[in-house]
Amino acid sequence: MAEAESKQRKPGARLCCICSQRRPALKRPKTLEQICRECFYEVFEEEIHQVIVQNQLFKPGERVAIGASGGKDSTVLAYVLSELNRRHNYGVDLFLLSIDEGITGYRDDSLETVKRNEIQYGLPLKIVSYKDLYGWTMDEIVKVIGLKNNCTFCGVFRRQALDRGAAFLKVDKVATGHNADDIAETVLLNILRGDIARLSRCTSITTGEDGPIPRCKPFKYTYEKEIVMYAYFKRLDYFSTECIYSPNAYRGFAREFIKDLERIRPRAILDIIRSGENFRISTSTKMPEQGTCERCGYISSQKWCKACVLLEGLNRGLPKLGIGRSRGLNNEEKREKKQSNGISAIESKACGTLDF
Amino acid sequence: MACSSGACQSNNCYKQEEEEESEQNSIASILDAKRGTESNDPQQSLCIKCKANSPISCTGEDVRFCADCFRSNLYGKFRLAVSSHAMITPSDKVLVAFSGGPASRVALQFVHEMQNRAQKNFDASRDRSLPVFGVGVAVIDESAIYPIPAHEFDEAITEIKLVVSNLAPPTKELHIVPIENVYASDSVDKRNRLKELLDSVTDVTGKEDLLLHLKMLSLQKIASENGYSRLILGSCTSRIACHVISAAVKGQGYSLSANIQYVDARWDTPIVLPLRDCLSQELNLLCRVDGLKTVELLNGPSSGINHLVSSFVALLQEENPSRECTIVRTAGKLTPFHFNRIPEISDCNVPLATRRRQKRFSLQPKESISSESFCPICISPLNKSEMQTLSGFGSFQSSDTFSPSCCPSCRFQILPKDPHSMEHFISLLPQPLAAQSKHDIGGNLNLLREQIQDFLLSDSDSET
Amino acid sequence: MRLTLEFGGGLELLCDSVKIHNVNVASQNGIEKLTMKDLLCWVRTNLIKERPEMFMKGDSVRPGVLVLINDCDWELSGQLDTTLEEKDVVVFISTLHGG
């Protein structure tokens, strides 16, 4: 690398837009500025700090879990948050929280990365596994149900696992690594599938404040490109593969569209988020009555929570229970559609990543 | 599919799928992508509606209706849209914007059929109390911007004249107007002025959108100069779906719901979209089945963001034939604006039934605020937070106030970046661009000014 | 021309999970100059073992793949037109893989 640095491609080439001293290392998608590596670190971290301050994401004395998947976003999030916490005296206690879905060749490898992060950043790590919580690994579930609805199981189980892990760590909040590209993608997906309720929520920086544990997204305005550049320049240790069980045709289209857009107009990503924030959606959607699951005590607007319904199906050898039209245990209740309100915002990360 | 519908992280992944399936609108029954595999089924070989005739056979799409049922289904959607939103009343004189493409061709055809029926009723009725609405056709000639060889242009014009003259009786007036006529009639060198205006816009998408706004302005001009009371556009579901996505991409989330409704009464001549519930595939098919002549020559190419969006939507539609409907339905759930309805009719000439129908279907505006401010370029309603993102202004010169009064999207993709070129840019704009909107921009500026003052005050307060 | 090519962010999976490749790229058509455009063609033919569509789209990298030449964003050096020199280090990182 030292060799690479010493190479001057064009003598007298442009200098960093900020410091006017060093050679630029990247072009910022947000501003199109050409900036050097040092200035990049500074503006990258400072912008996230401003987002945290302006949105009052953390209060002194709070315990905050970082949803850690071992991927680029959560790795950079863990690094930057511990750095900012130190630098600006947020006074928060940070933890890493990982979910082990039990997917051989995918999650076991990425958990190794998280374990290294635990040491590198000195943050206590808690891993909750599907096997411990539910008695099933995703590998076992896929063996029974095949590849058709596996993501439904995984999604429902993960949300609850995260809340349980957070409760175990006694944290006040969970921070996830969703970046601007992810949120823009979610806005589009919610338009494509006609989900107005989620469309109105998906751009909120903090969600689930009425649920057991609120979630927040400090990277809401941070471009994926910058996160990857940051991780690369800082030589952060992260893991990257796709979940082996996730088919991704439809989401793939949206993702590719966002990247194509970014190429011709980088600001489009932030424009989509702004659109999402400004949609005229009447806020009269009714919130369901929040009760607790009779079986496990998790919050639920139904008799049994979704995870228990799915689990019951698995254990009784009827894995279709709770999938598709709701002829399950709760069918006397109102349409289940309402159930998700207030629990958590939909996110569109590829299946199997840990950023919920 | 559960996962590919994109909701895997949510606990109601399957519900969305269910919802989509159950709400598959009539298109799914018309165009069934998978039918090819079941074509051996003898049940399938008859029209699913009349069960008598064989369905339309054509390559590409799969249709389960016979030609008659297909046509009447499509016409039915048109008529429902027209009657539910009081788009055309007997006393109206409507102007159909005709681009030569299949959508506006069908719009023209259907309006003609409706007029023809009204004429027959009129002739048959004894008292002749119900007048027949008038129809005119407007074609905007964009050859100033997209030059085409003279003979091709002449051919296209002949073709269009033929189409319109064949749609008689009742006869329809045809207005073929060059786009540069958007400038006042006494302006000099309109063509070059228009070219210079468009050349000053560097962003390809911005240029395209500006041209679209100018086209709308031209149509409005034709309508008001010739006494039309409605402007009919052929915007179909597919087109609106693309608009929804591109508006979201351009950051126009707030104003999005203004442009996708059946009715847009922001203008002197309200704009109506009677084909809002028809898909472009259906319209193309009808043109093919009925041999409706289309003339594509006069339309400019699409590029930039708009092009990217239409290929994205086309891809999605291919994957799921109800995708465009779902997109438009989502956008339809956004709160419309007060101007998205035909102003109440007090005219007692209008039959009671029409008035009643209008009441039943019309959107009752929840908030009666009508103090909306509008972007002078694209006439989008502005939301307050967007107006407060202004910065750096001291005195209020026209060029200083113009930019902050535009929506962020136009500011980015249309207005010149260099503040020094602003004065020149404004001088190139057709005069009525702002004033054409019913809600005059001068009032907006005063409002804006007040808001700016408030903003500045509160800002300095918090600092001390 | 000797170059070091590095694949990351999941792209290494397309070339037998090898991250760093020290390669010698013959200049095209006897012309001394080697541009990024030429290099991408070469990589596609010689290094990518599966799913080339994950790496390229048209004659450029797929949107979402970052390219750094000597640790500098290729958007600063002219992207496809960038001329490569002996011992340059070219890094490709996908942003498309799980976060």
Side-chain angles (χ1 to χ4, degrees), chain A residues 159 193 195 198 250 280 306, chain B residues 4 6 9 12 14 16:
Chain A
R159 178 166 316 122
R193 63 167 94 100
D195 194 334
R198 281 162 203 265
Y250 166 89
R280 288 161 53 99
K306 195 76 219 160
Chain B
S4 60
Q9 306 273 320
N12 57 8
Y14 47 92
Q16 267 126 23

Side-chain angles (χ1 to χ4, degrees), chain B residues 132-393:
Chain B
V132 178
F133 65 91
V135 178
V137 182
V139 176
I140 304 294
D141 158 20
E142 288 173 68
S143 55
I145 311 303
Y146 302 115
I148 48 172
H151 68 278
E152 285 179 33
F153 178 77
D154 292 341
E155 245 168 67
I157 295 297
T158 318
E159 208 71 74
I160 288 170
K161 283 182 177 157
L162 199 65
V163 166
V164 176
S165 62
N166 282 342
L167 292 176
T171 48
K172 293 161 186 62
E173 200 181 339
L174 174 61
H175 313 265
I176 301 177
V177 179
I179 177 91
E180 59 267 31
N181 278 20
V182 71
Y183 291 107
S185 51
D186 56 349
S187 351
V188 284
D189 205 10
K190 297 183 228 176
R191 210 174 167 113
N192 283 332
R193 194 168 155 197
L194 180 69
K195 274 189 189 158
E196 200 185 335
L197 173 65
L198 287 166
D199 285 344
S200 74
V201 181
T202 46
D203 186 285
V204 279
T205 315
K207 195 189 294 265
E208 211 172 286
D209 288 354
L210 176 59
L211 186 61
L212 207 66
H213 303 319
L214 293 175
K215 229 157 112 179
M216 186 59 67
L217 192 58
S218 307
L219 289 168
Q220 285 293 328
K221 207 171 162 211
I222 301 171
S224 69
E225 282 170 2
N226 296 280
Y228 288 97
S229 54
R230 296 283 187 272
L231 176 60
I232 295 185
L233 302 187
S235 313
C236 60
T237 307
S238 318
R239 181 73 189 265
I240 296 171
C242 288
H243 178 81
V244 170
I245 303 293
S246 51
V249 165
K250 292 168 195 165
Q252 299 162 326
Y254 178 76
S255 60
L256 196 157
S257 59
N259 302 322
I260 56 153
Q261 309 293 335
Y262 293 95
V263 175
D264 176 1
R266 256 174 295 181
W267 305 82
D268 285 334
T269 313
I271 297 167
V272 295
L273 313 181
L275 298 184
R276 187 179 179 271
D277 301 320
C278 305
L279 288 163
S280 65
Q281 287 114 300
E282 296 176 291
L283 301 172
N284 291 336
L285 184 61
L286 187 74
C287 287
R288 231 179 315 152
V289 170
D290 283 1
L292 301 179
K293 190 103 189 162
T294 55
V295 191
E296 294 287 11
L297 204 61
L298 302 182
N299 297 311
S302 142
S303 56
I305 303 262
N306 299 331
H307 175 70
L308 194 59
V309 168
S310 31
S311 23
F312 175 57
V313 172
L315 186 72
L316 294 167
Q317 177 73 4
E318 209 171 292
E319 179 239 17
N320 180 342
S322 62
R323 188 64 67 202
E324 291 173 346
C325 298
T326 313
I327 294 171
V328 175
R329 202 174 52 239
T330 316
K333 290 178 196 161
L334 303 176
T335 314
F337 289 82
H338 61 90
F339 50 75
N340 288 126
R341 50 200 286 274
I342 297 286
E344 280 291 333
I345 314 167
S346 50
D347 189 354
C348 49
N349 284 330
V350 178
L352 191 62
T354 310
R355 266 183 286 167
R356 224 182 266 141
R357 243 194 330 258
Q358 189 196 3
K359 271 231 162 66
R360 190 148 55 95
F361 286 101
S362 72
L363 317 146
Q364 291 300 323
K366 285 209 180 77
E367 64 269 79
S368 52
I369 46 132
S370 52
S371 58
E372 223 83 51
S373 314
F374 295 89
C375 167
I377 305 264
C378 67
I379 326 292
S380 289
L382 301 169
N383 87 352
K384 295 202 174 71
S385 71
E386 285 171 343
M387 291 172 54
Q388 289 182 344
T389 57
L390 332 169
S391 59
F393 38 82

Side-chain angles (χ1 to χ4, degrees), chain A residues 77-245:
Chain A
L77 184 65
Y79 178 87
V80 170
L81 282 190
S82 44
E83 193 64 35
L84 291 176
N85 190 27
R86 208 168 312 145
R87 189 181 306 161
H88 297 287
N89 298 316
Y90 292 163
V92 295
D93 285 322
L94 295 171
F95 300 86
L96 295 173
L97 174 54
S98 286
I99 311 285
D100 182 2
E101 297 96 339
I103 303 174
T104 316
Y106 167 64
R107 187 53 84 210
D108 45 357
D109 290 354
S110 60
L111 283 175
E112 289 309 312
T113 315
V114 183
K115 284 175 193 160
R116 284 197 299 275
N117 290 343
E118 176 185 18
I119 301 161
Q120 289 155 352
Y121 311 147
L123 302 177
L125 165 69
K126 168 72 185 168
I127 301 175
V128 274
S129 77
Y130 283 9
K131 186 73 183 171
D132 292 347
L133 277 183
Y134 309 110
W136 291 77
T137 66
M138 270 317 283
D139 285 341
E140 289 161 354
I141 293 175
V142 168
K143 246 179 230 156
V144 175
I145 64 162
L147 286 173
K148 189 141 193 292
N149 292 306
N150 56 320
C151 293
T152 308
F153 280 85
C154 200
V156 171
F157 285 174
R158 182 180 308 111
R159 178 166 316 122
Q160 211 181 93
L162 188 76
D163 279 334
R164 296 210 185 268
F168 178 89
L169 288 171
K170 299 193 176 62
V171 295
D172 304 288
K173 212 164 259 176
V174 175
T176 62
H178 289 102
N179 58 44
D181 298 50
D182 295 330
I183 294 168
E185 185 187 320
T186 309
V187 170
L188 284 182
L189 286 175
N190 283 329
I191 295 175
L192 297 187
R193 63 167 94 100
D195 194 334
I196 199 81
R198 281 162 203 265
L199 187 58
S200 70
R201 279 182 271 134
C202 68
T203 47
S204 312
I205 194 159
T206 304
T207 54
E209 280 160 304
D210 43 359
I213 292 158
R215 318 265 163 97
C216 67
K217 305 170 211 155
F219 284 169
K220 180 181 170 189
Y221 300 106
T222 309
Y223 276 70
E224 193 158 56
K225 173 180 171 179
E226 295 198 352
I227 291 172
V228 174
M229 285 286 191
Y230 188 88
Y232 173 77
F233 287 145
K234 290 256 181 185
R235 300 285 186 257
L236 299 184
D237 179 11
Y238 72 89
F239 178 84
S240 50
T241 45
E242 218 54 67
C243 170
I244 50 173
Y245 294 141

